[in-house]
Every structure is written in C-alpha cells, then in structure tokens.
Amino acid sequence: MRIHHDWKGLPLDARGATVAMGNFDGVHLGHRSVIDAARAAADAPLGVITFEPHPREVFQSGAPPFRLMNAESRANRLARLGVEHLYQLPFDTVLAGLAPEDFVREVLVEGLGVRHVTVGADFCFGRKRSGTAQTLTSLGREFGFGVTIAPLIGDGQNEYSSTAIRTALTEGRSRDAERMLGHWHRIDGEVLHGDKRGRDLGYPTANMAVNGLHLPRFGIYAVLIDVLTGPERGSYTGVANLGVRPMFAGDVPNFETHIFDFKGDLYGEHVSVALVEFLRPEMKFDSLEALVAQMDQDSAKAREILAAR
C-alpha cells in the first residue's frame, strides 16, 4: 500500500482511484462495508481518504484521548484489507476552512482525480461540517465522478460504532470489541527502551507508547504479536501489561509485552499487538517473588487461552 500525505503534486499513477472517505477510527465492520462498497464501485485502484490528525483532535484539543488507532495502526489495518492507496490528508485550518464545493474541486477533483467516492450515510465534510453525503452526490454529478452512499450497518440491534467499541474496551471486553471490529483490537508502534525491570525478573518485554489513544481497561492481557519489521519479523504469542505498574510507583500509562519463547532484539522495530482476552487487573504485590509467581500464572493462563482460540 502506498501512503500519500497530501493531495497536491501526486504522480499520475496515484490519481484516478475509487475511494472510500472517512476517519475510519478502528476500521470496524461498518467502516469495512464502506470500503467494500468502494471496491465494487469502479474498475480502478482502491483508495482510502482519511485525515491526520483526526478532526476531533483539532476542534476538541483539550478532550481526553479517544482514538482507537494511531495513524500507523490504521494504515496497517487498511493494508490488510487490500487498500492500494491511502490518502492521509493533513487536517489543519486550511482544509477545515474549505467550503464543501471547494473541497470537492481542489482536493477530490484537481488533487486526487477520483473516479468514484463512497461514504457512510452519516458522513459530513467541509467548513463547519456543512456538507452531507447528499451534498457530495450532487457535487459528484457536477464534477463528473460517481458517489455511493453506504448504509449504516449493525448487529441487528445496534449500529457498529467506535463509541460502542470504546465502551467494550474500557470494560475489558476484548472479545465483544472484536465482534464489532471484525478483528482484534491492536496497539501498533515502535519498540522503545524501557527500564528493563522485566528482563531482571525473567520476563523481558517490548515496550510501546500509548499516548493519544483511548486506553482499554488497565491490566494483564493474553495477546497475539506481529513483528512487522526487522530480522525477527513474524507472528508470536504472549502476555502484556497495560497500565501504570503500581508495583513500581508508576504514573504514566505504558504498554509492555512479553513474547513467549523469544530471544531476539526488537528495539526500534515496529510491532502490532492484539488484545485477545483480559486476564486480571493491575495489582501491587508484597514482594517481587509474589509478582513473579503471579506472572507465571498469567503466562500459563494466556498460553491456554491462545492455544484454544
């Protein structure tokens, strides 16, 4: 998948796609229906138009973190779905200030040269969100590209939504989140140097930053790990801790993953960690020996869960 960070100056082979457009936070089953509709709409390369940072981060900069995915995680998921071009447009005051007609003319037509655009039925765009899916349909006729409005879908009772997925993750219901997402919820990013306490305890971990993300329930998880770069690239199983590590008087949320039966060096590499099942909350133990004994139990339970999945 090719990632483009602007709509200006694109090479000819990056123009003329059939695109799905939206924020696609989580890339849940509702989002996938929009992407599938774009795939079926025209005989052209499949693209996705999205925005970075998320518009809500610009307009509500003081709000608590809400994103299910960072840009890297979203791109990884879209690549798995067969998207050929990701147009990750820079969302700033210039883009936010475009009237719907100007956005269509400057971005979609002159910039990207789109063949067809698919959006969800609740899609809004342009200055003060004044453009709707119906507005886009009218402008598509005027400027010569097709538009498909994909209906909102759900499980028969509720529409799939990022809000419902956030609630499930906050409550530690990873499998419920997976049913709405259509895939495991993942945290993706670079492996960073940490304090290396896990190594001293016999449980070395791959540490990742989680700032800017909506955080699932703090605690221990059975996880699946994809190492995406470097000589150790491949798929593994493990156990992870998300939280502030009360045993060590931490206060900044951290995500650290112990990969079973792994001996390699992952510093600087990029990994994707799927939260399969919540095992227990974070705890403070009376001794390091008690902590290690509990980690042994957590690992055994995680191995059992992952072997039966």
Tab-separated table of all heavy atoms in Angstrom, residues 264-286:
chain	number	residue	atom	x	y	z
A	264	GLY	N	15.089	-12.616	20.635
A	264	GLY	CA	15.654	-11.586	19.775
A	264	GLY	C	15.635	-10.194	20.377
A	264	GLY	O	15.152	-9.963	21.490
A	265	ASP	N	16.173	-9.251	19.626
A	265	ASP	CA	16.232	-7.835	19.998
A	265	ASP	C	15.253	-7.066	19.105
A	265	ASP	O	15.390	-7.076	17.883
A	265	ASP	CB	17.652	-7.316	19.799
A	265	ASP	CG	17.810	-5.861	20.222
A	265	ASP	OD1	16.787	-5.194	20.486
A	265	ASP	OD2	18.957	-5.388	20.270
A	266	LEU	N	14.277	-6.395	19.706
A	266	LEU	CA	13.254	-5.690	18.933
A	266	LEU	C	13.343	-4.177	19.045
A	266	LEU	O	12.500	-3.479	18.486
A	266	LEU	CB	11.863	-6.146	19.374
A	266	LEU	CG	11.490	-7.594	19.051
A	266	LEU	CD1	10.090	-7.907	19.595
A	266	LEU	CD2	11.541	-7.846	17.554
A	267	TYR	N	14.334	-3.645	19.732
A	267	TYR	CA	14.408	-2.193	19.895
A	267	TYR	C	14.444	-1.501	18.535
A	267	TYR	O	15.223	-1.843	17.654
A	267	TYR	CB	15.637	-1.800	20.705
A	267	TYR	CG	15.563	-2.225	22.148
A	267	TYR	CD1	16.530	-3.062	22.697
A	267	TYR	CD2	14.516	-1.793	22.956
A	267	TYR	CE1	16.465	-3.457	24.024
A	267	TYR	CE2	14.426	-2.183	24.283
A	267	TYR	CZ	15.406	-3.016	24.807
A	267	TYR	OH	15.321	-3.419	26.116
A	268	GLY	N	13.559	-0.522	18.382
A	268	GLY	CA	13.485	0.219	17.136
A	268	GLY	C	12.633	-0.424	16.059
A	268	GLY	O	12.346	0.211	15.041
A	269	GLU	N	12.217	-1.674	16.272
A	269	GLU	CA	11.352	-2.338	15.300
A	269	GLU	C	9.891	-1.986	15.584
A	269	GLU	O	9.545	-1.497	16.662
A	269	GLU	CB	11.549	-3.856	15.343
A	269	GLU	CG	12.985	-4.312	15.144
A	269	GLU	CD	13.574	-3.944	13.796
A	269	GLU	OE1	12.818	-3.467	12.917
A	269	GLU	OE2	14.792	-4.108	13.620
A	270	HIS	N	9.032	-2.269	14.605
A	270	HIS	CA	7.609	-1.964	14.750
A	270	HIS	C	6.827	-3.260	14.917
A	270	HIS	O	7.055	-4.239	14.190
A	270	HIS	CB	7.108	-1.175	13.541
A	270	HIS	CG	7.579	0.242	13.564
A	270	HIS	ND1	6.731	1.308	13.806
A	270	HIS	CD2	8.813	0.768	13.415
A	270	HIS	CE1	7.439	2.432	13.793
A	270	HIS	NE2	8.692	2.130	13.549
A	271	VAL	N	5.950	-3.246	15.908
A	271	VAL	CA	5.160	-4.428	16.216
A	271	VAL	C	3.688	-4.053	16.309
A	271	VAL	O	3.323	-2.886	16.507
A	271	VAL	CB	5.617	-5.107	17.527
A	271	VAL	CG1	7.076	-5.509	17.454
A	271	VAL	CG2	5.383	-4.194	18.725
A	272	SER	N	2.840	-5.072	16.176
A	272	SER	CA	1.392	-4.921	16.292
A	272	SER	C	0.911	-5.960	17.294
A	272	SER	O	1.124	-7.161	17.092
A	272	SER	CB	0.735	-5.139	14.927
A	272	SER	OG	-0.674	-5.082	15.031
A	273	VAL	N	0.274	-5.506	18.371
A	273	VAL	CA	-0.119	-6.397	19.460
A	273	VAL	C	-1.643	-6.409	19.583
A	273	VAL	O	-2.274	-5.368	19.771
A	273	VAL	CB	0.511	-5.963	20.796
A	273	VAL	CG1	0.135	-6.947	21.905
A	273	VAL	CG2	2.033	-5.856	20.669
A	274	ALA	N	-2.224	-7.598	19.463
A	274	ALA	CA	-3.678	-7.766	19.522
A	274	ALA	C	-4.095	-8.190	20.924
A	274	ALA	O	-3.564	-9.168	21.468
A	274	ALA	CB	-4.115	-8.815	18.506
A	275	LEU	N	-5.071	-7.476	21.497
A	275	LEU	CA	-5.598	-7.815	22.825
A	275	LEU	C	-6.689	-8.875	22.660
A	275	LEU	O	-7.785	-8.579	22.197
A	275	LEU	CB	-6.178	-6.572	23.493
A	275	LEU	CG	-5.260	-5.353	23.613
A	275	LEU	CD1	-5.955	-4.256	24.401
A	275	LEU	CD2	-3.929	-5.710	24.242
A	276	VAL	N	-6.367	-10.099	23.063
A	276	VAL	CA	-7.295	-11.212	22.858
A	276	VAL	C	-8.219	-11.387	24.058
A	276	VAL	O	-9.438	-11.518	23.911
A	276	VAL	CB	-6.527	-12.513	22.571
A	276	VAL	CG1	-7.477	-13.710	22.500
A	276	VAL	CG2	-5.742	-12.370	21.268
A	277	GLU	N	-7.668	-11.399	25.257
A	277	GLU	CA	-8.525	-11.591	26.428
A	277	GLU	C	-7.913	-10.933	27.654
A	277	GLU	O	-6.704	-11.048	27.909
A	277	GLU	CB	-8.746	-13.079	26.701
A	277	GLU	CG	-9.783	-13.334	27.796
A	277	GLU	CD	-10.369	-14.732	27.739
A	277	GLU	OE1	-10.663	-15.220	26.631
A	277	GLU	OE2	-10.538	-15.331	28.816
A	278	PHE	N	-8.767	-10.230	28.408
A	278	PHE	CA	-8.361	-9.610	29.665
A	278	PHE	C	-8.241	-10.692	30.730
A	278	PHE	O	-9.170	-11.487	30.931
A	278	PHE	CB	-9.408	-8.575	30.078
A	278	PHE	CG	-9.104	-7.843	31.352
A	278	PHE	CD1	-8.248	-6.753	31.347
A	278	PHE	CD2	-9.683	-8.231	32.543
A	278	PHE	CE1	-7.972	-6.058	32.520
A	278	PHE	CE2	-9.416	-7.552	33.721
A	278	PHE	CZ	-8.558	-6.467	33.707
A	279	LEU	N	-7.106	-10.729	31.423
A	279	LEU	CA	-6.873	-11.768	32.430
A	279	LEU	C	-7.154	-11.290	33.853
A	279	LEU	O	-7.795	-11.992	34.631
A	279	LEU	CB	-5.431	-12.266	32.343
A	279	LEU	CG	-4.991	-12.874	31.004
A	279	LEU	CD1	-3.547	-13.339	31.087
A	279	LEU	CD2	-5.908	-14.029	30.606
A	280	ARG	N	-6.656	-10.118	34.185
A	280	ARG	CA	-6.851	-9.607	35.546
A	280	ARG	C	-6.463	-8.136	35.584
A	280	ARG	O	-5.739	-7.641	34.706
A	280	ARG	CB	-5.999	-10.394	36.552
A	280	ARG	CG	-4.499	-10.246	36.340
A	280	ARG	CD	-3.694	-10.822	37.492
A	280	ARG	NE	-2.270	-10.764	37.244
A	280	ARG	CZ	-1.490	-9.698	37.500
A	280	ARG	NH1	-2.028	-8.594	38.006
A	280	ARG	NH2	-0.194	-9.738	37.257
A	281	PRO	N	-6.903	-7.400	36.625
A	281	PRO	CA	-6.479	-6.008	36.772
A	281	PRO	C	-5.022	-5.916	37.243
A	281	PRO	O	-4.440	-6.895	37.708
A	281	PRO	CB	-7.429	-5.450	37.839
A	281	PRO	CG	-8.366	-6.528	38.183
A	281	PRO	CD	-7.873	-7.807	37.631
A	282	GLU	N	-4.467	-4.714	37.146
A	282	GLU	CA	-3.151	-4.468	37.739
A	282	GLU	C	-3.227	-4.622	39.254
A	282	GLU	O	-4.248	-4.326	39.876
A	282	GLU	CB	-2.685	-3.050	37.423
A	282	GLU	CG	-2.177	-2.846	36.032
A	282	GLU	CD	-1.388	-1.561	35.919
A	282	GLU	OE1	-1.964	-0.490	36.167
A	282	GLU	OE2	-0.203	-1.620	35.574
A	283	MET	N	-2.125	-5.074	39.851
A	283	MET	CA	-2.076	-5.259	41.299
A	283	MET	C	-0.724	-4.802	41.836
A	283	MET	O	0.271	-4.775	41.103
A	283	MET	CB	-2.254	-6.735	41.672
A	283	MET	CG	-3.521	-7.390	41.188
A	283	MET	SD	-3.526	-9.162	41.598
A	283	MET	CE	-5.011	-9.689	40.771
A	284	LYS	N	-0.705	-4.482	43.107
A	284	LYS	CA	0.545	-4.235	43.805
A	284	LYS	C	0.802	-5.415	44.731
A	284	LYS	O	-0.074	-5.799	45.520
A	284	LYS	CB	0.478	-2.932	44.597
A	284	LYS	CG	1.811	-2.551	45.229
A	284	LYS	CD	1.752	-1.163	45.848
A	284	LYS	CE	3.112	-0.774	46.415
A	284	LYS	NZ	3.103	0.588	46.995
A	285	PHE	N	1.989	-5.996	44.638
A	285	PHE	CA	2.301	-7.208	45.400
A	285	PHE	C	3.228	-6.880	46.566
A	285	PHE	O	3.903	-5.850	46.590
A	285	PHE	CB	2.959	-8.238	44.479
A	285	PHE	CG	2.040	-8.741	43.399
A	285	PHE	CD1	1.944	-8.061	42.188
A	285	PHE	CD2	1.244	-9.856	43.603
A	285	PHE	CE1	1.079	-8.494	41.193
A	285	PHE	CE2	0.381	-10.301	42.618
A	285	PHE	CZ	0.295	-9.621	41.410
A	286	ASP	N	3.256	-7.808	47.539
A	286	ASP	CA	4.069	-7.593	48.734
A	286	ASP	C	5.556	-7.761	48.463
A	286	ASP	O	6.389	-7.264	49.229
A	286	ASP	CB	3.642	-8.575	49.841
A	286	ASP	CG	2.231	-8.305	50.339
A	286	ASP	OD1	1.801	-7.130	50.259
A	286	ASP	OD2	1.567	-9.251	50.794
